[in-house]
Amino acid sequence: MPDTRCKACGKPRSPDGSPTMVVAVVDGENVYACSEHVEELAAPPGDLLVALAQLLDIARRRNEGEL
C-alpha cells in the first residue's frame, strides 16, 4: 500500500476528516496532499498524468475499503 500521507505535513487525513488526494506525480511517484496543502503541492491544472493517478488511487481505495 502506498504512503498516502500529505507530503507537506505528514498527516494521513485532511482537517475535515477527508482522505488526502493525489495532487502531482513526481519521478513516477504520487504526491499526496491534505486540503490545507493542495495549492502548495499541486501540479499545473490540466495535467493528464495527475488525473489518471487520481482515478487509479480512487479505484485502489475503493477496492481496499478505504472509501
Side-chain angles (χ1 to χ4, degrees):
M1 179 170 5
D3 182 4
T4 60
R5 292 176 293 166
C6 176
K7 183 78 170 175
C9 67
K11 294 179 184 174
R13 293 185 118 14
S14 292
D16 65 2
S18 62
T20 56
M21 63 181 290
V22 177
V23 295
V25 177
V26 177
D27 296 328
E29 298 290 326
N30 292 345
V31 175
Y32 290 83
C34 68
S35 60
E36 293 180 328
H37 296 107
V38 168
E39 290 182 22
E40 174 185 334
L41 298 172
D47 186 320
L48 295 179
L49 188 56
V50 173
L52 177 59
Q54 288 172 340
L55 289 172
L56 292 172
D57 186 60
I58 290 168
R60 179 193 59 79
R61 289 181 187 218
R62 283 188 179 155
N63 286 336
E64 294 177 0
E66 291 182 42
L67 296 179

